[in-house]
Amino acid sequence: MKIEDTLMKLCPKSLRLPIKYQYHKIRNRLEQEIFYLKKLGGTRKRAIDIGANIGIYSYVLSQLYEVVEVFEPQSWCTEYIADYSQVYASNLNIHNVGLADFNGSLNLYVPVSQGDYSKFVRGLGSLTTGLGSFREIAGEKVSVSVPVRKLDDYNFQDVSLIKIDVEGYETKVIEGGRQTILREKPIIFIEVEQRHLDGKSIEEVFEKIAGFGYEGNFLDNDSLIPISHYSQHIKDNQNKFLSEQFPEKYINNFIFKPVV
């Protein structure tokens, strides 16, 4: 049995999320961007975590923002977040729906796998929940129908930050939140990977966000570097990762700030 699984079984449910965070921190499994969140500024009113998975980012955001709206269609993932919020973080609001550019339902595909990043889901087996996608992915997977809604339908006010991690569905989420983005002008923290875009270029996603009046950056040694100066470097970096050359720093997280 994995050490992490043993820890989760031994500790109270309400503490499983912070213990998981600390375990991943000790094992150096946290993205460097998660430590940069406190430097982003803004009003610190409301953050929106889209594609929260088990809640690592939600946990950190709950300590930085007055309210955090958590969106994750996999209910078996948000159990840790719910248990933690009931005791320690009442500012976390959990929404077990996916976000898209329409209201309805979609099939969510989740890889079947074993390993350090897999999670056992009763009735479905061992899954890599962090790679769940509305794209039909290759390999062994399970498919579940989940509800989806447009972000704009929630009419959230005082939005300081939107974090998006949706495995190739970025432009659909953004289009469904068009009015929210234009009205609130939040910082947008987004994961974008060419391998998940099914023929669309990574520049198309960047241009989509820039069209709302934003400038994009990536984090390098605790400094923000403009995407516009390093677009080829970003593509080369991701191509190396795909060819299993594994660069020291994999560039897949981007921070977009509104142009003043």
Side-chain angles (χ1 to χ4, degrees):
M1 181 180 291
K2 294 184 297 184
I3 295 175
E4 187 174 350
D5 289 340
T6 302
L7 283 172
M8 293 302 101
K9 289 181 180 296
L10 291 175
C11 69
K13 288 183 178 181
S14 61
L15 292 175
R16 287 178 181 177
L17 180 54
I19 288 175
K20 184 176 280 287
Y21 171 84
Q22 293 298 334
Y23 178 79
H24 282 228
K25 183 178 179 180
I26 292 169
R27 297 289 301 276
N28 198 30
R29 289 181 175 175
L30 296 177
E31 298 171 330
Q32 67 167 341
E33 289 82 2
I34 203 166
F35 303 108
Y36 194 80
L37 291 172
K38 62 180 179 293
K39 299 181 180 181
L40 287 178
T43 63
R44 301 291 184 183
K45 293 285 187 177
R46 187 186 308 271
I48 303 175
D49 186 357
I50 304 172
N53 196 36
I54 60 172
I56 296 297
Y57 271 91
S58 297
Y59 168 70
V60 175
L61 291 171
S62 72
Q63 299 171 57
L64 298 173
Y65 292 84
E66 292 180 18
V67 180
V68 182
E69 309 293 344
V70 179
F71 286 89
E72 174 54 59
Q74 301 176 83
S75 58
W76 45 85
C77 285
T78 56
E79 292 171 352
Y80 287 162
I81 309 173
D83 290 335
Y84 172 69
S85 68
Q86 287 172 11
V87 179
Y88 297 107
S90 60
N91 61 334
L92 285 164
N93 299 322
I94 300 169
H95 310 270
N96 279 132
V97 301
L99 291 181
D101 57 350
F102 72 101
N103 296 326
S105 63
L106 282 171
N107 286 331
L108 181 72
Y109 301 95
V110 190
V112 174
S113 62
Q114 300 286 340
D116 288 344
Y117 293 97
S118 64
K119 174 179 173 60
F120 180 78
V121 179
R122 188 180 301 276
L124 296 176
S126 184
L127 308 176
T128 302
T129 58
L131 293 179
S133 175
F134 291 131
R135 302 160 35 252
E136 187 164 0
I137 56 181
E140 188 178 1
K141 55 189 173 291
V142 299
S143 171
V144 292
S145 179
V146 300
V148 295
R149 290 187 63 184
K150 294 187 295 184
L151 177 62
D152 284 341
D153 287 350
Y154 290 87
N155 195 32
F156 290 129
Q157 307 294 311
D158 298 319
V159 181
S160 308
L161 173 79
I162 297 178
K163 171 256 181 185
I164 304 173
D165 182 357
V166 290
E167 308 300 312
Y169 212 65
E170 295 83 12
T171 55
K172 301 291 188 182
V173 170
I174 291 165
E175 191 56 41
R178 168 181 287 272
Q179 297 306 317
T180 302
I181 294 170
L182 289 173
R183 183 184 67 248
E184 303 294 322
K185 287 295 183 181
I187 295 169
I188 298 176
F189 176 91
I190 185 168
E191 179 189 87
V192 189
E193 297 182 84
Q194 187 63 62
R195 61 177 174 156
H196 295 150
L197 295 179
D198 293 338
K200 183 184 298 182
S201 73
I202 197 169
E203 288 92 348
E204 289 180 67
V205 181
F206 294 159
E207 289 169 6
K208 179 81 171 178
I209 304 172
F212 289 91
Y214 280 77
E215 290 180 342
N217 306 270
F218 67 93
L219 191 63
D220 184 38
N221 293 324
D222 214 35
S223 296
L224 290 181
I225 309 298
I227 288 173
S228 56
H229 298 174
Y230 290 91
S231 59
Q232 188 59 49
H233 173 63
I234 292 167
K235 287 189 288 186
D236 291 343
N237 174 276
Q238 292 203 357
N239 286 335
K240 285 182 179 180
F241 181 84
L242 286 176
S243 61
E244 297 186 350
Q245 297 178 50
F246 302 120
E248 181 178 342
K249 160 62 178 169
Y250 180 46
I251 305 171
N252 65 329
N253 289 318
F254 304 94
I255 297 169
F256 283 81
K257 292 187 173 184
V259 179
V260 178

